Amino acid sequence: MQTALTALYDHYSRTFHQWQAAGISVPPCFIVVCNNTSTSKLIYDYISGFQRQTQGDPATTQPGALPLFRNFDEHGRPLARPRTLLIDSEQLESGQALDPGFRTAAADEVERFRKDIIRRTGNRRQAEALSDADLLREVMNTVGKDGRLGGGTRCVVSVSMLTEGWDANTVTHVLGVRAFGAQLLCEQVVGRALRRQSYDLNDQGLFDVEYADVLGIPFDFTARPVVAPPQPPREVLQVRAVTPERDGCEIRFPRVQGYRVELPREQLSATFNPDSTMEITPDLVGPTVTRNEGIFGEGTDLRPEDPDNMRHATIAYKLTKRLLETRWRDPNGTPKWHLFGQLKRITGQWLKNHLVCKGGAHPAQVLMESLADTACGRITGAIMAAPACQDKPVQALLDPYNPTGSTMHVRFTTAKRTCWRTDPRRCHVNRVVYDSEWESEFCRVAEAHPRVRAYVKNHGLGFEIPYRFRGERRMYWPDFILLVEDGHGEEDLLHLVAEVKGYRQEDAKEKKNTMTTYWLPAVNQLADYGRWDFAEFRDAYEMEGEFDKLMGG
């Protein structure tokens, strides 16, 4: 066992110094797997060192055999933060493995842990009464996380811990010092070292290969060892709400799961707009011409069955039938057939003026399953936008368990370097992770405009809009939310949902239709979330002028 431990430690030492040279602040993690407390205690003392006390003599320190894992300095004094931990189920409950000076040495991390508990649970009493067991559990849950209680842990000697779901993505070396009675147990233990350190894609759009060194854990198969330098994780940035310093810039929003619509019962009309137009192209319906060439003989062009013989009235009839069956039903689920004539008239108007076929596509292809659902959505949206529907508001169905979202809950890490450092006077979150230069330009415009009181990028925020496209229920994530003073006073700010987009495809039209026809009317009926509006910005060079015009400048 000693020979195996020393050999694996030598490899760990090389990895440790490579990570240091790469500027990685957290160390790699070395795991020793045991199956009883007595064995684990002997290994722990051998690795980290221990103090020997004899009767009548002062305590003497026996230094650990592995320098990087020692819990004592060169003068024999215990380190404030242990580099090696001994963990089993009994100690995890009692908290006896913590050094008495740990609370003092890790005061900043303990205070951050305490604030995190208050933020998540609101229980200040629980945060103030943290036990040693709570701290030890937090140490184990944060191994390899910079700035947290377990960020400096280098070695863990465990007793039956690695089969209980514990994760740390900095584990690079695993040593098994126990008998394994089942292959599944081997795979569970090794799985703790297979958590990826980085999920960033390389230049080929793939994950870089990562390896872990495992010794003393048998497998039923034989694999050739691969010698490769360890890939240290990329440095990450923490994106979070800055509280309480920026709480004045908090933005709250409703979590909408669906809509309840009361449709007109008798007289129907429709108000079409440019977004009511639907384009059918080969991208949607598939190739319209395929060239077939044999080895000998003349080639030929294969085309789908020509649907031009289907009359305009037949297409309108079939589309209206689907419209009634999917969108216009009474509370009992029966289609409202008495509205067939009016809906057929509106459907005919839409087919004549707002259905565009390109690239050899045919109007009859709108009856395809996915396209027909999109067409029904455009027609229903036009009916909802008509004056006859203005007195029948759409109702929002909120998440019953979590009806309100807030910038207060933003907290995630990112390896991206495309981050905008926000103005503390304008944004509750410390950084914006932008996906394009257009979005960074929008951040500049928003922060510079005098009417903007606060804004946030919808990244890690959880702000989503349910909509339907091609017969499927989907979620739309707008780019930004802004609080704007639009002339109604500081007590009645406008919530502006902004989308920064260049090329608009059919799904973008459906998103906007859902926003303007369903989401905005529904949310503006709610009393607790203020006034809301929606805007799209499609030209980076005209963005500032369009935004100023929208603000009334």
Side-chain angles (χ1 to χ4, degrees):
M1 188 277 293
Q2 182 178 356
T3 302
L5 181 60
T6 303
L8 199 59
Y9 169 78
D10 290 340
H11 193 187
Y12 172 90
S13 179
R14 292 193 295 271
T15 304
F16 178 85
H17 293 297
Q18 286 177 350
W19 282 33
Q20 278 194 327
I24 308 301
S25 57
V26 296
C29 185
F30 188 108
I31 301 294
V32 181
V33 184
C34 307
N35 63 348
N36 61 73
T37 303
S38 57
T39 302
S40 63
K41 178 60 175 173
L42 289 174
I43 296 175
Y44 173 76
D45 290 342
Y46 176 79
I47 290 176
S48 65
F50 61 94
Q51 288 185 329
R52 179 183 290 110
Q53 181 73 46
T54 58
Q55 187 175 6
D57 295 327
T60 58
T61 300
Q62 179 64 38
L66 307 179
L68 291 178
F69 297 154
R70 289 173 180 168
N71 287 339
F72 300 89
D73 61 19
E74 63 273 14
H75 303 293
R77 296 172 297 192
L79 297 177
R81 302 192 186 186
R83 297 170 178 170
T84 300
L85 294 178
L86 173 61
I87 300 295
D88 62 22
S89 299
E90 182 179 352
Q91 290 171 332
L92 195 60
E93 295 301 323
S94 66
Q96 296 177 357
L98 281 182
D99 187 273
F102 185 84
R103 283 178 177 267
T104 302
D108 293 340
E109 288 83 354
V110 172
E111 182 63 24
R112 187 179 297 112
F113 179 39
R114 182 179 290 109
K115 289 182 178 180
D116 184 60
I117 291 177
I118 296 174
R119 182 182 62 83
R120 287 186 287 106
T121 67
N123 191 338
R124 186 174 297 275
R125 180 176 299 179
Q126 176 188 352
E128 296 296 336
L130 289 175
S131 65
D132 286 348
D134 295 328
L135 294 179
L136 180 58
R137 193 173 288 106
E138 177 67 6
V139 170
M140 293 310 304
N141 290 337
T142 57
V143 168
K145 297 181 181 180
D146 193 18
R148 308 290 292 275
L149 288 177
T153 301
R154 301 178 183 177
C155 179
V156 176
V157 181
S158 70
V159 180
S160 302
M161 180 191 66
L162 298 187
T163 61
E164 299 176 358
W166 174 74
D167 286 336
N169 65 351
T170 55
V171 175
T172 56
H173 298 73
V174 179
L175 176 64
V177 187
R178 59 162 297 174
F180 292 90
Q183 183 67 25
L184 178 60
L185 184 60
C186 299
E187 296 172 0
Q188 282 184 301
V189 172
V190 174
R192 305 309 169 194
L194 300 182
R195 269 54 180 173
R196 291 193 60 83
Q197 300 167 19
S198 173
Y199 288 89
D200 298 316
L201 301 178
N202 56 27
D203 295 337
Q204 289 75 38
L206 304 173
F207 291 135
D208 287 326
V209 178
E210 296 179 358
Y211 298 98
D213 290 282
V214 182
L215 188 61
I217 301 177
F219 284 93
D220 289 340
F221 59 87
T222 301
R224 297 180 59 186
V226 178
V227 179
Q231 299 293 327
R234 293 175 60 182
E235 186 177 356
V236 297
L237 299 173
Q238 186 178 72
V239 181
R240 61 182 179 86
V242 181
T243 182
E245 293 84 353
R246 302 192 191 181
D247 284 355
C249 297
E250 180 186 6
I251 297 178
R252 298 169 66 252
F253 57 90
R255 297 183 181 273
V256 178
Q257 288 189 327
Y259 318 95
R260 180 179 289 116
V261 183
E262 184 180 354
L263 297 171
R265 297 181 179 179
E266 299 301 333
Q267 192 65 32
L268 299 182
S269 61
T271 301
F272 295 107
N273 57 49
D275 287 326
S276 301
T277 300
M278 177 178 175
E279 293 184 355
I280 301 180
T281 64
D283 290 336
L284 299 178
V285 300
T288 56
V289 179
T290 301
R291 184 68 176 176
N292 189 25
E293 293 279 1
I295 299 177
F296 301 102
E298 184 179 358
T300 183
D301 291 336
L302 302 179
R303 302 175 184 270
E305 183 179 352
D306 189 358
D308 276 344
N309 293 328
M310 186 178 293
R311 297 185 305 161
H312 183 276
T314 304
I315 300 174
Y317 177 89
K318 293 186 176 182
L319 191 58
T320 303
K321 182 174 180 291
R322 180 178 179 85
L323 186 62
L324 277 167
E325 292 174 341
T326 59
R327 305 293 177 113
W328 296 76
R329 291 177 176 267
D330 60 24
N332 296 325
T334 304
K336 300 179 179 181
W337 297 112
H338 65 283
L339 298 177
F340 189 93
Q342 298 185 65
L343 289 174
K344 185 173 182 295
R345 172 179 52 83
I346 295 173
T347 301
Q349 296 174 2
W350 181 83
L351 287 171
K352 180 180 179 181
N353 301 318
H354 294 280
L355 181 63
V356 179
C357 298
K358 296 182 177 180
H362 303 280
Q365 290 175 312
V366 76
L367 298 177
M368 295 174 60
E369 186 76 17
S370 58
L371 300 185
D373 189 82
T374 301
C376 291
R378 301 286 170 86
I379 296 170
T380 303
I383 296 174
M384 293 294 299
C389 286
Q390 299 305 311
D391 59 343
K392 299 181 181 297
V394 182
Q395 295 182 8
L397 303 179
L398 301 182
D399 185 339
Y401 302 103
N402 189 17
T404 303
S406 170
T407 53
M408 187 73 70
H409 307 307
V410 175
R411 186 184 184 93
F412 62 92
T413 57
T414 179
K416 289 186 176 181
R417 287 297 175 265
T418 54
C419 294
W420 177 279
R421 190 182 297 273
T422 59
D423 186 340
R425 300 168 300 173
R426 293 288 184 266
C427 190
H428 197 190
V429 180
N430 61 341
R431 286 182 172 87
V432 165
V433 182
Y434 56 86
D435 300 319
S436 66
E437 294 297 331
W438 287 30
E439 291 186 354
S440 65
E441 171 64 9
F442 185 83
C443 293
R444 184 194 68 80
V445 171
E447 292 185 351
H449 202 281
R451 288 186 177 270
V452 175
R453 299 296 179 262
Y455 80 101
V456 67
K457 174 73 162 61
N458 186 21
H459 190 137
L461 185 61
F463 178 55
E464 53 189 21
I465 311 296
Y467 76 106
R468 291 185 64 86
F469 183 63
R470 297 185 185 177
E472 299 178 357
R473 189 179 188 273
R474 301 187 180 185
M475 285 296 180
Y476 162 44
W477 293 273
D479 291 328
F480 292 90
I481 306 177
L482 299 90
L483 283 179
V484 177
E485 202 291 295
D486 62 340
H488 289 73
E490 297 294 337
E491 301 300 323
D492 188 19
L493 298 177
L494 174 68
H495 296 73
L496 180 65
V497 180
E499 178 72 21
V500 180
K501 186 178 295 292
Y503 179 66
R504 294 179 81 230
Q505 296 179 324
E506 289 297 320
D507 63 332
K509 295 181 181 179
E510 202 64 34
K511 293 172 184 176
K512 182 181 179 182
N513 282 334
T514 300
M515 284 293 299
T516 57
T517 305
Y518 296 100
W519 196 90
L520 288 177
V523 171
N524 282 325
Q525 292 294 325
L526 301 175
D528 299 332
Y529 299 98
R531 297 179 297 112
W532 290 76
D533 203 351
F534 177 76
E536 283 185 313
F537 299 91
R538 308 178 194 171
D539 191 333
Y541 304 106
E542 300 294 334
M543 186 180 301
E544 186 168 9
E546 291 179 0
F547 188 81
D548 188 63
K549 183 179 179 180
L550 184 66
M551 295 297 101

